[in-house]
Amino acid sequence: MQASDRFNINSQLEHLQAKYVGTGHADMNRFEWAVNIQRDSYAAYIGHYPLLSYFSIAENESIGRQRYTFMQKMLLPCGLPPEREED
Amino acid sequence: MYLYNLTLQRPTGIICAINGNFSGGKGQEIVVARGKALDLLRPDDNGRIQTILSVEVFGAIRSLAQFRLTGAQKDFIVVGSDSGRIVILDYNKEKNVFDKVHQETFGKSGARRIVPGQYIAVDPKGRAVMIGACEKQKLVYVLNRDTAARLTISSPLEAHKSHTLVFSICGVDCGFENPIFAAIELDYSEADQDSTGMAASEAQKNLTFYELDLGLNHVSRKWSDQVDNGANLLVTVPGGADGPSGVLVCAENFVIYKNQGHPDVRAVIPRRADLPAERGVLIVSAAMHKLKNMFFFLLQTEYGDIFKVTLEHEGDRISELKIKYFDTIPVTSSMCVLKSGFLFAASEFGNHALYQFKAIGDDDDVEASSARLMETEEGFQPVFFQPRKLKNLVRIDQVESLMPLMDMKVSNLFEEETPQIFTLCGRGPRSSLRILRTGLAVSEMAVSKLPGVPSAVWTVKKNVIDEFDAYIVVSFTNATLVLSIGETVEEVSDSGFLDTTPSLSVSLIGDDSLMQVHPNGIRHIREDGRINEWRTPGKRTIAKVGSNRLQVVIALSGGELIYFEVDVTGQLMEVEKHEMSGDVACLDIAPVPEGRQRSRFLAVGSYDKTIRILSLDPDDCMQTLSIQSLSSAPESLLFLEVQASVGGEDGADHPASLFLNAGLQNGVLSRTVVDMVTGLLSDTRSRFLGLRAPKLFPIIVRGKRAMLCLSSRPWLGYIYQGHFLLTPLSYETLEFAASFSSDQCVEGVVAVAGEALRIFTIERLGETFNETVIPLRYTPRKFVLQPKRKLLVVIESDQGALTAEEREAARKECFEAAQAGENGTGSADQMENGGEDEDKDDALSDEHYGYPKAESDKWASCIRVLDPRTANTTCLLELQDNEAAFSICTVNFHDKEYGTLLAVGTAKGLQYTPKRSLTAGFIHIYRFLEDGRSLELLHKTQVEGVPLALCQFQGRLLAGIGPVLRLYDLGKRRLLRKCENKQFPKTIVSIQTYRDRIYVGDIQESFHYCKYRRDENQLYIFADDCVPRWLTASYHIDFDTMAGADKFGNIYFVRLPQDVSDEIEEDPTGGRIKWEQGKLNGAPNKVEEIVQFHVGDLISSLQKASLIPGGGECILYGTIMGSIGALHAFTSRDDVDFFSHLEMHMRQDNPPLCGRDHMAYRSAYFPVKDVIDGDLCEQFPTLPMDLQRKIADELDRTPGEILKKLEEVRNKII
């Protein structure tokens, strides 16, 4: 990599995208954005135990079950992705 | 406004628990994470759980693990938290603190998706630790020892895999080969791209082994294999010399044994017979127990059933996996099997328990096995069982937990000295109403009636070296009664005490003789039975006595003091006389210091409102050393020596000091430091204890001298973890007390009150509240107090539960089926279960087994009228037709026909998933009958949503139904709509009113201030908040101010600026508000945030109350994790300055234990504003002495003054 490349905005962005999940890009669509937010939210629910217990009281499930449900929901948090537009 | 935050009750719920030898001794200890606090617990010899250490960490602990270096004797603790750091702690037994051994930063702080901290796994041989996040990141740290045998930690090795969710990780036991970690992983990258849904439905969970190559210092993916898609938890199987190695994969309905190069061994988890078919069975907690030549696992399902899993193996080949029903206990978040034969069950909701193993499940029971696994067309054939009574476990102790605290109200319903806190706690069948009172709980050992009204009581030993007391001596107005303590307590007459006169003091004197002081003299009873009498000169009588083991001072009526000492031969010799200026009110001699002949100090209290310290040294005997003047005449004096400490189990280190305590006639207790050399008095602290002058008595608590103060209620002054605490006891008013020690009761108190003699012990020290528990039926939601009638009305509702009748029917059916012998698998023990049905009929059993699960759109709910004094439910209405109650309020309508009515908001057929939906909402109106003890439905009104908030307003009823605020009036057949406003953003969850203002809380958009214009009959929103806040609790503070708490654990106050408020009040027509438009659909005015603080726990209720008589009010908050805290408003600028500086120094010099920055934690979502963290300031006495001095110097104070300040502010709150 050349010295000038390191400061190139694109390579910096790529670095960020590789390092931090969810870093956006210019062509990001609504779905990708929402999926990312939802995954972040579920991870936060799992990580904050009081919040997790709050949900499990509301749904009358055990905390372990609620944690598992949230983990499972991270797979497809917003339903199926939209069909790609052919370009 | 500046506030001081103080946690009154630490969180009581447990997130995770681990066990091990943390202090390095033989004993087993348990470390529990309670969210923001880390505790070390130890079961004592009697099987009671004792809290040894509790530390506030100012961060959210998410995972814990323990490891032991090879050949070491003690375990270290690894903590995964939201600090973006891995922290290794070592419990320091000498100082009783957790020492931070290592703290390595790896990422951003906060509970994030890809920042590790959620999972921790250790290599069973303690050579490496893996810390993982929900997604992508896993880091491995190598643990080793340096030349000085200290623990070292390497830089992290990455085991990342992007686009991969991690469900669980664990270490694989492979002896001393390279450490391996296993993880359940799920790759989502294809599912994100595929719009047909094929990839998502085919997404496959994998079990991946990561090998840490110790030689190359590198982590590689060693092996990956498909695993059941319901997999959620991994459990390490012992390996090396102890077992076959590999892992147990717990999946929905199955337990699967997996290892590299080994075929899967799968067995089904037995199901409860009454479980709906669509529900799976998930393992939520696991514990492994390893004995010399065998091992087994205890796995608990989400319904509370524990299964014992055993592996039949030869070498490392598994031939069979067996899952046998073990017992059923409430669902846990963690289980710890202790080597001493105990099972510590950290319940996810409700009380935690300690069980003892009676058996390890070797008897016959329902068992599923991999060998008998049957695959049919519909999948694997299930195995059924019926839960039964405990067979293998027996509960020996429980630790109270308020988690989840659903609602809280403070009121002095019982007309006691301080108000009671009524809390709704628990969930489902383990729900309860808990009445908390400030003070320590006492357990009464004995109460016996005496032949008269006693005036005083003492206990004496016969010899200094005796362990237990020999006599209880009770004095009456004209006689003395002597009781000897043995197997029983009985009256004796051969003790040598004079029984025809009242006594003034009875004590052990010298090494082995007894002394009785009575108004006419001193009776000295020698060990061999010889009796020496000293008689008072002339007709004077003895008024007061002060004594320690070697010195006696008596005060004669008129004010003459006579001083006696015990000489070498054990004789009591008169040494000195001294005339005081007037009558003596009280006397005390400091205890003889260790290794000395006598104590130097005599304190004399006089009716001229002074205390004098006199010297008892031979060279300046009866010289006045110092004088203190008081606000009122002293009634009782007590020297209390605080022994020097270097930490240990009583907490922080502090030098020895001597305190003079004085109970004054105006009910104040004053504590003054006595200089141990000069006798000078300084640094007085005073506290109002009650309406009667406190009488002070020395007692022993946990082997240390403590003080019992008897005012209108008893108080205990003792040192706990470095703090001097003065706590009320929850007991009745006592007249006189003495410490009591016998075979049955090692540390007790004997006291007299009325005509009775009472013996009691003091329960768990350090607790702020003691509780009275009244069980409830379903998860309590809200309640209202009826202060006049002294009744509570509670609404309870449970989702996915059967109503009482349905449960009864199901139970009957099950019983009949068992009778016919046709039940499920139809084995012999099934019959036995049926036979035990009588025991199941009692209401308590549900508490143990949980309610049977129903479909998620089924609701069970009830409205209960409860008399808290007698714990009687006077009326219980079970709601029918799938209705559930969500809100409640009492309302007085304009039309006074019915008086006070009860409004209850309900929803019918409410469902949260897949989409929130309901059949209908209702507002029920009930009439109180029989003086409020019973309810009668007047009518119910259908509404379009769930009425989550109800409130009385100007003789009408305000209801928040979804985004609509509506005003109702009472009609004959239903409620009548009067006016409404539909402009609220999402869902109204709280309504509070004051004059013509209405403060509405929205579920996600904070507060809206509204005004009702009667002439136009319209509701306007005139101000709202500019910050989205997911409200969970709210409280009205004053006309312009609201306090709220959001879902993320923040507490905040908002205030309408004064000028805006004035403008609105001065607008006579209301035209301006009506036509004024805000921007972006908001209200025209905005409230300002004046206070902001991150509590770190979800706050479920806010209250304003004063917990001490005559004290100022503070805001109390209750949290889901079962903690109670207070926010106290500072009244002086000086205090604000002092505490903010102290907080600043504490932040610098005492960084939190788990690596989270204190300031960042308290500002986790919004910057902290105008709140000083008392929990941090209160860690001051736990700092090392030199650090305390350093901070004190910088604040221009002494450490003592800082402690005094801390004590003062705490005393203002509780």
Side-chain angles (χ1 to χ4, degrees), chain B residues 541-756:
Chain B
T541 55
I542 301 178
K544 302 286 170 195
V545 194
S547 71
N548 60 27
R549 207 169 55 75
L550 297 171
Q551 297 160 291
V552 183
V553 173
I554 54 170
L556 299 181
S557 51
E560 191 183 4
L561 293 179
I562 307 176
Y563 172 43
F564 300 85
E565 266 185 27
V566 178
D567 70 2
V568 274
T569 61
Q571 287 280 5
L572 204 56
M573 303 298 286
E574 188 177 325
V575 178
E576 185 69 57
K577 280 189 182 171
H578 183 74
E579 197 71 41
M580 297 294 287
S581 53
D583 263 342
V584 171
C586 45
L587 281 178
D588 194 46
I589 308 184
V592 183
E594 203 74 37
R596 296 281 190 84
Q597 275 295 309
R598 60 175 71 81
S599 160
R600 182 163 145 77
F601 304 121
L602 164 71
V604 182
S606 316
Y607 289 107
D608 59 358
K609 300 184 190 173
T610 57
I611 298 174
R612 287 179 170 76
I613 301 284
L614 306 184
S615 167
L616 296 178
D617 268 1
D619 38 351
D620 57 351
C621 200
M622 293 296 168
Q623 293 291 310
T624 303
L625 296 175
S626 54
I627 302 184
Q628 182 184 24
S629 53
L630 303 162
S631 56
S632 169
E635 169 82 15
S636 173
L637 289 173
L638 181 74
F639 279 105
L640 194 67
E641 193 178 9
V642 177
Q643 280 145 356
S645 160
V646 286
E649 290 191 358
D650 52 334
D653 49 6
H654 48 82
S657 50
L658 187 65
F659 283 92
L660 175 65
N661 300 285
L664 311 185
Q665 274 174 352
N666 57 6
V668 169
L669 174 80
S670 96
R671 295 175 66 229
T672 310
V673 178
V674 184
D675 189 299
M676 292 179 87
V677 181
T678 61
L680 286 177
L681 298 170
S682 61
D683 196 10
T684 305
R685 308 156 191 201
S686 49
R687 174 153 195 194
F688 177 71
L689 296 192
L691 298 172
R692 284 169 42 174
K695 285 187 214 153
L696 312 179
F697 302 95
I699 63 163
I700 303 291
V701 171
R702 293 235 180 121
K704 301 213 165 46
R705 272 175 69 102
M707 169 174 67
L708 196 64
C709 317
L710 305 182
S711 178
S712 44
R713 56 179 171 162
W715 293 68
L716 182 73
Y718 63 108
I719 300 224
Y720 183 76
Q721 297 196 341
H723 289 273
F724 178 82
L725 296 180
L726 194 60
T727 321
L729 300 181
S730 285
Y731 205 54
E732 46 199 284
T733 309
L734 302 173
E735 291 295 329
F736 207 95
S739 73
F740 175 78
S741 174
S742 79
D743 214 6
Q744 291 91 12
C745 164
V746 179
E747 265 176 14
V749 177
V750 55
V752 290
E755 282 192 359

Side-chain angles (χ1 to χ4, degrees), chain A residues 3 9 20-21 23 26 53 62 67 75-76:
Chain A
I9 185 80
Y20 300 109
V21 176
T23 310
S53 18
S62 82
R67 184 187 292 126
L75 173 65
L76 214 60

Side-chain angles (χ1 to χ4, degrees), chain A residues 48, chain B residues 58-59 82 109-110 112 1029 1046 1048-1051 1089 1091-1096 1143 1147 1156-1173:
Chain A
H48 292 104
Chain B
F58 307 107
D82 65 345
S109 60
R112 288 163 202 265
R1029 295 276 196 172
D1046 70 21
F1048 308 105
N1050 301 306
I1051 212 164
E1089 183 183 281
V1091 163
Q1092 156 63 40
F1093 187 69
H1094 181 63
V1095 174
E1143 188 188 32
R1147 274 179 184 151
R1156 188 92 151 102
D1157 180 66
H1158 178 266
M1159 175 89 102
Y1161 175 67
R1162 291 304 187 193
S1163 312
Y1165 290 82
F1166 302 94
V1168 57
K1169 187 166 174 1
D1170 295 352
V1171 181
I1172 290 157
D1173 189 4

